Amino acid sequence: MSTIELSGPPNLAALYLKAVLSAPTRNGAELPETEYVRPDIVVDRDHLADYNRTCGFGMRDELPVTYPHVLSFATAVRLMTDPEFPFPLAGLVHIANSITQYRPLLVTEPLTQRVRLADHRPHPKGRQFDVITDTLVDEHVVWTESSTYLRRGEPNESEPKRGVEAVEAGEAVASWRLPADLGRRYAAIAGDRNPIHLHPWAAKAFGFPRTIAHGMWSKARCVAAFEGRLPEAYTVDVDFAKPVLLPSTVEFSARGADFALHSRSGKPHLRGRFS
């Protein structure tokens, strides 16, 4: 595996343009064996405050467990727009996410992030792969993430299920009204400007009646509901199910280490578990 060091965050606008222009030529079979390393990341307190407000976290010196995902997002897009990456960026579906925090990360700590792709494998609806991100402080890994993406295509034989699909988290304990502009607000913070989160016409082109919320906003909002009750080290896994339409009202349920986000009719949007 080759390693490339970045001097700063990649330019997302340029990467999105590259993704559009290169989409027709992407028909490979293997993931690139490249790791991008971005050292000396300094957390912007104003950016963190915006993230906390949007996702429901309080203002603390510790980073929310989902916040490093935002810091690494542009680097992940850089990997998925490299010439060797086999799939068009548009149409990839984020289906699962697992984060492990080995100890709290402080807003004052300079961070290093290492991002790579792994485990290209069959999925019943096509192919799937993982984006692996390690966040380091003083050369020690303190946070790691695996984001699983699906490329729809020819059906494949099912593999053993992973994740938290069987979670039943009990009766709703909270109801959240989500505004129509939530996708645009989160995109401004996270950089994830997929048009299905921003514009109703784009969402309809992909089969949605209106814009949808980001999966990682949904995960962050659920984790925020546990703030003050979590240990210093833990893993939080989620599987994403039905998209959250905007605007809408969603219900949050929790029982023990399990939690879920679902519509008022009971359709699951997200299932999660702490361990």
Side-chain angles (χ1 to χ4, degrees):
M1 177 175 287
S2 61
T3 299
I4 299 175
E5 184 170 309
L6 303 176
S7 59
N11 185 321
L12 277 169
L15 291 176
Y16 286 139
L17 177 60
K18 179 180 178 181
V20 171
L21 296 177
S22 65
T25 67
R26 294 187 182 273
N27 57 1
E30 300 297 331
L31 298 176
E33 294 188 359
T34 304
E35 179 181 68
Y36 281 105
V37 179
R38 185 180 163 210
D40 302 322
I41 300 170
V42 177
V43 174
D44 183 299
R45 289 179 180 270
D46 290 337
H47 182 266
L48 176 61
D50 288 342
Y51 179 87
N52 288 342
R53 281 190 293 267
T54 302
C55 298
F57 292 102
M59 303 300 177
R60 307 172 62 190
D61 289 335
E62 296 178 3
L63 303 184
V65 71
T66 49
Y67 185 72
H69 171 88
V70 171
L71 297 178
S72 66
F73 179 75
T75 305
V77 173
R78 170 75 180 267
L79 261 177
M80 292 188 284
T81 53
D82 277 358
E84 297 82 11
F85 185 71
F87 308 124
L89 189 63
L92 291 178
V93 182
H94 195 185
I95 59 174
N97 179 272
S98 177
I99 294 173
T100 297
Q101 175 179 284
Y102 297 101
R103 57 90 162 163
L105 282 71
L106 302 179
V107 67
T108 55
E109 293 179 310
L111 308 175
T112 295
Q113 291 192 310
R114 310 179 71 94
V115 185
R116 64 191 184 279
L117 306 175
D119 203 6
H120 186 200
R121 60 197 185 275
H123 183 279
K125 296 182 179 180
R127 305 289 300 178
Q128 60 186 326
F129 64 94
D130 300 326
V131 178
I132 308 296
T133 303
D134 294 326
T135 298
L136 299 82
V137 175
D138 295 330
E139 301 184 355
H140 297 287
V141 175
V142 295
W143 182 98
T144 188
E145 174 190 49
S146 175
S147 281
T148 303
Y149 290 87
L150 166 66
R151 170 62 176 173
R152 296 184 186 274
E154 291 296 323
N156 286 281
E157 292 185 6
S158 298
E159 63 171 19
K161 288 184 177 181
R162 301 188 293 182
V164 289
E165 292 185 8
V167 165
E168 296 295 340
E171 296 297 322
V173 296
S175 181
W176 301 325
R177 179 64 182 169
L178 310 184
D181 67 345
L182 178 60
R184 292 189 291 275
R185 287 165 51 196
Y186 184 81
I189 297 165
D192 185 351
R193 297 184 181 277
N194 187 326
I196 62 176
H197 303 301
L198 307 177
H199 307 293
W201 57 265
K204 289 178 180 179
F206 281 89
F208 305 109
R210 52 189 189 271
T211 55
I212 64 174
H214 295 74
M216 287 304 293
W217 176 88
S218 298
K219 178 172 184 174
R221 184 64 187 89
C222 290
V223 173
F226 291 89
E227 195 167 34
R229 294 180 285 157
L230 296 171
E232 291 191 344
Y234 60 91
T235 295
V236 54
D237 299 313
V238 300
D239 287 340
F240 301 113
K242 297 290 184 181
V244 177
L245 299 177
L246 299 173
S248 67
T249 298
V250 295
E251 294 186 338
F252 171 73
S253 57
R255 183 171 59 194
D258 297 337
F259 61 93
L261 193 67
H262 44 87
S263 68
R264 287 184 290 182
S265 65
K267 293 181 180 179
H269 295 304
L270 173 154
R271 297 183 178 96
R273 174 177 294 144
F274 291 99
S275 59

mmCIF file of all heavy atoms in Angstrom, residues 50-77:
data_model
loop_
_atom_site.group_PDB
_atom_site.id
_atom_site.type_symbol
_atom_site.label_atom_id
_atom_site.label_comp_id
_atom_site.label_asym_id
_atom_site.label_seq_id
_atom_site.Cartn_x
_atom_site.Cartn_y
_atom_site.Cartn_z
ATOM 1 N N ASP A 50 -20.860 24.906 15.611
ATOM 2 C CA ASP A 50 -21.934 24.745 14.631
ATOM 3 C C ASP A 50 -22.365 23.283 14.529
ATOM 4 O O ASP A 50 -23.561 22.970 14.447
ATOM 5 C CB ASP A 50 -21.491 25.247 13.261
ATOM 6 C CG ASP A 50 -21.384 26.761 13.189
ATOM 7 O OD1 ASP A 50 -21.970 27.438 14.067
ATOM 8 O OD2 ASP A 50 -20.723 27.261 12.262
ATOM 9 N N TYR A 51 -21.382 22.394 14.529
ATOM 10 C CA TYR A 51 -21.681 20.961 14.458
ATOM 11 C C TYR A 51 -22.488 20.528 15.682
ATOM 12 O O TYR A 51 -23.502 19.824 15.564
ATOM 13 C CB TYR A 51 -20.377 20.167 14.376
ATOM 14 C CG TYR A 51 -20.582 18.664 14.331
ATOM 15 C CD1 TYR A 51 -20.786 18.010 13.122
ATOM 16 C CD2 TYR A 51 -20.570 17.893 15.492
ATOM 17 C CE1 TYR A 51 -20.978 16.638 13.073
ATOM 18 C CE2 TYR A 51 -20.752 16.524 15.458
ATOM 19 C CZ TYR A 51 -20.964 15.902 14.241
ATOM 20 O OH TYR A 51 -21.158 14.538 14.204
ATOM 21 N N ASN A 52 -22.052 20.942 16.852
ATOM 22 C CA ASN A 52 -22.745 20.563 18.084
ATOM 23 C C ASN A 52 -24.197 21.050 18.091
ATOM 24 O O ASN A 52 -25.104 20.307 18.473
ATOM 25 C CB ASN A 52 -22.001 21.113 19.299
ATOM 26 C CG ASN A 52 -20.698 20.371 19.568
ATOM 27 O OD1 ASN A 52 -20.498 19.264 19.089
ATOM 28 N ND2 ASN A 52 -19.807 21.003 20.321
ATOM 29 N N ARG A 53 -24.408 22.276 17.671
ATOM 30 C CA ARG A 53 -25.773 22.817 17.639
ATOM 31 C C ARG A 53 -26.651 22.050 16.656
ATOM 32 O O ARG A 53 -27.811 21.739 16.950
ATOM 33 C CB ARG A 53 -25.745 24.300 17.270
ATOM 34 C CG ARG A 53 -25.367 25.229 18.422
ATOM 35 C CD ARG A 53 -25.608 26.680 18.047
ATOM 36 N NE ARG A 53 -24.691 27.114 17.000
ATOM 37 C CZ ARG A 53 -23.526 27.701 17.225
ATOM 38 N NH1 ARG A 53 -23.114 27.899 18.468
ATOM 39 N NH2 ARG A 53 -22.755 28.094 16.222
ATOM 40 N N THR A 54 -26.107 21.734 15.493
ATOM 41 C CA THR A 54 -26.890 21.068 14.453
ATOM 42 C C THR A 54 -27.233 19.632 14.826
ATOM 43 O O THR A 54 -28.311 19.128 14.476
ATOM 44 C CB THR A 54 -26.128 21.104 13.118
ATOM 45 O OG1 THR A 54 -25.861 22.477 12.765
ATOM 46 C CG2 THR A 54 -26.919 20.453 12.003
ATOM 47 N N CYS A 55 -26.335 18.980 15.559
ATOM 48 C CA CYS A 55 -26.518 17.560 15.871
ATOM 49 C C CYS A 55 -27.040 17.298 17.279
ATOM 50 O O CYS A 55 -27.304 16.144 17.629
ATOM 51 C CB CYS A 55 -25.198 16.812 15.682
ATOM 52 S SG CYS A 55 -24.587 16.854 13.979
ATOM 53 N N GLY A 56 -27.170 18.337 18.095
ATOM 54 C CA GLY A 56 -27.759 18.167 19.410
ATOM 55 C C GLY A 56 -26.788 17.932 20.541
ATOM 56 O O GLY A 56 -27.214 17.594 21.655
ATOM 57 N N PHE A 57 -25.496 18.125 20.309
ATOM 58 C CA PHE A 57 -24.512 17.959 21.366
ATOM 59 C C PHE A 57 -24.367 19.247 22.181
ATOM 60 O O PHE A 57 -24.572 20.346 21.654
ATOM 61 C CB PHE A 57 -23.141 17.594 20.787
ATOM 62 C CG PHE A 57 -23.068 16.232 20.170
ATOM 63 C CD1 PHE A 57 -23.118 16.076 18.786
ATOM 64 C CD2 PHE A 57 -22.947 15.095 20.950
ATOM 65 C CE1 PHE A 57 -23.049 14.827 18.196
ATOM 66 C CE2 PHE A 57 -22.875 13.842 20.384
ATOM 67 C CZ PHE A 57 -22.928 13.705 19.001
ATOM 68 N N GLY A 58 -23.962 19.106 23.434
ATOM 69 C CA GLY A 58 -23.631 20.261 24.246
ATOM 70 C C GLY A 58 -22.246 20.783 23.913
ATOM 71 O O GLY A 58 -21.475 20.138 23.200
ATOM 72 N N MET A 59 -21.901 21.941 24.425
ATOM 73 C CA MET A 59 -20.595 22.549 24.201
ATOM 74 C C MET A 59 -19.630 22.054 25.273
ATOM 75 O O MET A 59 -19.804 22.362 26.465
ATOM 76 C CB MET A 59 -20.704 24.074 24.240
ATOM 77 C CG MET A 59 -21.699 24.636 23.247
ATOM 78 S SD MET A 59 -21.286 24.225 21.526
ATOM 79 C CE MET A 59 -22.679 24.958 20.660
ATOM 80 N N ARG A 60 -18.638 21.275 24.853
ATOM 81 C CA ARG A 60 -17.691 20.680 25.789
ATOM 82 C C ARG A 60 -16.295 20.750 25.191
ATOM 83 O O ARG A 60 -16.113 21.011 23.997
ATOM 84 C CB ARG A 60 -18.049 19.220 26.087
ATOM 85 C CG ARG A 60 -19.479 19.009 26.543
ATOM 86 C CD ARG A 60 -19.821 17.533 26.627
ATOM 87 N NE ARG A 60 -18.997 16.837 27.598
ATOM 88 C CZ ARG A 60 -18.966 15.507 27.720
ATOM 89 N NH1 ARG A 60 -19.673 14.754 26.914
ATOM 90 N NH2 ARG A 60 -18.210 14.941 28.645
ATOM 91 N N ASP A 61 -15.280 20.478 26.017
ATOM 92 C CA ASP A 61 -13.909 20.419 25.521
ATOM 93 C C ASP A 61 -13.611 19.107 24.807
ATOM 94 O O ASP A 61 -12.619 19.004 24.087
ATOM 95 C CB ASP A 61 -12.921 20.593 26.687
ATOM 96 C CG ASP A 61 -12.918 22.021 27.226
ATOM 97 O OD1 ASP A 61 -13.271 22.935 26.458
ATOM 98 O OD2 ASP A 61 -12.571 22.205 28.411
ATOM 99 N N GLU A 62 -14.463 18.103 25.002
ATOM 100 C CA GLU A 62 -14.301 16.821 24.331
ATOM 101 C C GLU A 62 -15.049 16.825 23.003
ATOM 102 O O GLU A 62 -16.156 17.361 22.901
ATOM 103 C CB GLU A 62 -14.822 15.678 25.207
ATOM 104 C CG GLU A 62 -14.053 15.500 26.497
ATOM 105 C CD GLU A 62 -14.639 14.397 27.364
ATOM 106 O OE1 GLU A 62 -15.610 13.742 26.918
ATOM 107 O OE2 GLU A 62 -14.145 14.205 28.489
ATOM 108 N N LEU A 63 -14.445 16.230 21.978
ATOM 109 C CA LEU A 63 -15.111 16.142 20.682
ATOM 110 C C LEU A 63 -16.211 15.095 20.728
ATOM 111 O O LEU A 63 -16.025 14.013 21.291
ATOM 112 C CB LEU A 63 -14.107 15.758 19.597
ATOM 113 C CG LEU A 63 -12.884 16.658 19.398
ATOM 114 C CD1 LEU A 63 -12.073 16.156 18.216
ATOM 115 C CD2 LEU A 63 -13.300 18.105 19.189
ATOM 116 N N PRO A 64 -17.371 15.349 20.133
ATOM 117 C CA PRO A 64 -18.359 14.287 19.964
ATOM 118 C C PRO A 64 -17.744 13.114 19.202
ATOM 119 O O PRO A 64 -16.905 13.315 18.318
ATOM 120 C CB PRO A 64 -19.471 14.959 19.156
ATOM 121 C CG PRO A 64 -19.303 16.415 19.406
ATOM 122 C CD PRO A 64 -17.824 16.628 19.569
ATOM 123 N N VAL A 65 -18.163 11.916 19.522
ATOM 124 C CA VAL A 65 -17.546 10.732 18.921
ATOM 125 C C VAL A 65 -17.706 10.711 17.403
ATOM 126 O O VAL A 65 -16.890 10.117 16.691
ATOM 127 C CB VAL A 65 -18.126 9.452 19.565
ATOM 128 C CG1 VAL A 65 -19.562 9.230 19.123
ATOM 129 C CG2 VAL A 65 -17.261 8.238 19.264
ATOM 130 N N THR A 66 -18.739 11.381 16.882
ATOM 131 C CA THR A 66 -18.963 11.406 15.441
ATOM 132 C C THR A 66 -18.242 12.550 14.725
ATOM 133 O O THR A 66 -18.219 12.581 13.488
ATOM 134 C CB THR A 66 -20.469 11.526 15.151
ATOM 135 O OG1 THR A 66 -21.018 12.594 15.948
ATOM 136 C CG2 THR A 66 -21.202 10.227 15.495
ATOM 137 N N TYR A 67 -17.648 13.471 15.460
ATOM 138 C CA TYR A 67 -17.061 14.657 14.829
ATOM 139 C C TYR A 67 -15.837 14.349 13.957
ATOM 140 O O TYR A 67 -15.689 14.954 12.878
ATOM 141 C CB TYR A 67 -16.711 15.700 15.889
ATOM 142 C CG TYR A 67 -16.199 17.001 15.316
ATOM 143 C CD1 TYR A 67 -17.067 17.889 14.664
ATOM 144 C CD2 TYR A 67 -14.860 17.356 15.421
ATOM 145 C CE1 TYR A 67 -16.607 19.078 14.140
ATOM 146 C CE2 TYR A 67 -14.395 18.546 14.896
ATOM 147 C CZ TYR A 67 -15.264 19.404 14.254
ATOM 148 O OH TYR A 67 -14.799 20.587 13.714
ATOM 149 N N PRO A 68 -14.934 13.440 14.337
ATOM 150 C CA PRO A 68 -13.811 13.156 13.443
ATOM 151 C C PRO A 68 -14.221 12.664 12.059
ATOM 152 O O PRO A 68 -13.453 12.800 11.097
ATOM 153 C CB PRO A 68 -13.015 12.089 14.210
ATOM 154 C CG PRO A 68 -13.304 12.388 15.652
ATOM 155 C CD PRO A 68 -14.752 12.789 15.655
ATOM 156 N N HIS A 69 -15.411 12.094 11.935
ATOM 157 C CA HIS A 69 -15.903 11.706 10.604
ATOM 158 C C HIS A 69 -15.969 12.924 9.687
ATOM 159 O O HIS A 69 -15.616 12.843 8.499
ATOM 160 C CB HIS A 69 -17.294 11.071 10.725
ATOM 161 C CG HIS A 69 -17.964 10.841 9.402
ATOM 162 N ND1 HIS A 69 -17.788 9.690 8.665
ATOM 163 C CD2 HIS A 69 -18.808 11.632 8.669
ATOM 164 C CE1 HIS A 69 -18.483 9.773 7.541
ATOM 165 N NE2 HIS A 69 -19.106 10.945 7.518
ATOM 166 N N VAL A 70 -16.427 14.052 10.233
ATOM 167 C CA VAL A 70 -16.516 15.276 9.449
ATOM 168 C C VAL A 70 -15.121 15.748 9.034
ATOM 169 O O VAL A 70 -14.910 16.186 7.896
ATOM 170 C CB VAL A 70 -17.248 16.366 10.255
ATOM 171 C CG1 VAL A 70 -17.174 17.713 9.560
ATOM 172 C CG2 VAL A 70 -18.701 15.968 10.487
ATOM 173 N N LEU A 71 -14.157 15.631 9.941
ATOM 174 C CA LEU A 71 -12.792 16.073 9.639
ATOM 175 C C LEU A 71 -12.159 15.243 8.524
ATOM 176 O O LEU A 71 -11.332 15.751 7.760
ATOM 177 C CB LEU A 71 -11.921 15.977 10.901
ATOM 178 C CG LEU A 71 -12.328 16.863 12.082
ATOM 179 C CD1 LEU A 71 -11.389 16.613 13.255
ATOM 180 C CD2 LEU A 71 -12.313 18.342 11.695
ATOM 181 N N SER A 72 -12.543 13.982 8.413
ATOM 182 C CA SER A 72 -11.923 13.084 7.431
ATOM 183 C C SER A 72 -12.718 12.972 6.141
ATOM 184 O O SER A 72 -12.262 12.315 5.190
ATOM 185 C CB SER A 72 -11.752 11.686 8.028
ATOM 186 O OG SER A 72 -13.009 11.087 8.274
ATOM 187 N N PHE A 73 -13.891 13.593 6.068
ATOM 188 C CA PHE A 73 -14.779 13.365 4.929
ATOM 189 C C PHE A 73 -14.128 13.756 3.603
ATOM 190 O O PHE A 73 -14.193 13.008 2.620
ATOM 191 C CB PHE A 73 -16.096 14.122 5.121
ATOM 192 C CG PHE A 73 -17.039 13.953 3.967
ATOM 193 C CD1 PHE A 73 -17.734 12.767 3.796
ATOM 194 C CD2 PHE A 73 -17.227 14.978 3.043
ATOM 195 C CE1 PHE A 73 -18.600 12.598 2.725
ATOM 196 C CE2 PHE A 73 -18.086 14.814 1.968
ATOM 197 C CZ PHE A 73 -18.779 13.625 1.812
ATOM 198 N N ALA A 74 -13.492 14.911 3.539
ATOM 199 C CA ALA A 74 -12.886 15.350 2.276
ATOM 200 C C ALA A 74 -11.773 14.404 1.837
ATOM 201 O O ALA A 74 -11.603 14.152 0.639
ATOM 202 C CB ALA A 74 -12.354 16.775 2.421
ATOM 203 N N THR A 75 -11.028 13.865 2.785
ATOM 204 C CA THR A 75 -9.969 12.913 2.439
ATOM 205 C C THR A 75 -10.569 11.633 1.882
ATOM 206 O O THR A 75 -10.039 11.045 0.925
ATOM 207 C CB THR A 75 -9.105 12.612 3.667
ATOM 208 O OG1 THR A 75 -8.601 13.836 4.201
ATOM 209 C CG2 THR A 75 -7.941 11.712 3.306
ATOM 210 N N ALA A 76 -11.693 11.188 2.453
ATOM 211 C CA ALA A 76 -12.369 10.002 1.929
ATOM 212 C C ALA A 76 -12.857 10.241 0.500
ATOM 213 O O ALA A 76 -12.731 9.363 -0.371
ATOM 214 C CB ALA A 76 -13.528 9.617 2.840
ATOM 215 N N VAL A 77 -13.396 11.436 0.237
ATOM 216 C CA VAL A 77 -13.843 11.762 -1.118
ATOM 217 C C VAL A 77 -12.656 11.791 -2.072
ATOM 218 O O VAL A 77 -12.756 11.346 -3.228
ATOM 219 C CB VAL A 77 -14.608 13.099 -1.138
ATOM 220 C CG1 VAL A 77 -14.938 13.524 -2.571
ATOM 221 C CG2 VAL A 77 -15.889 12.980 -0.329
#
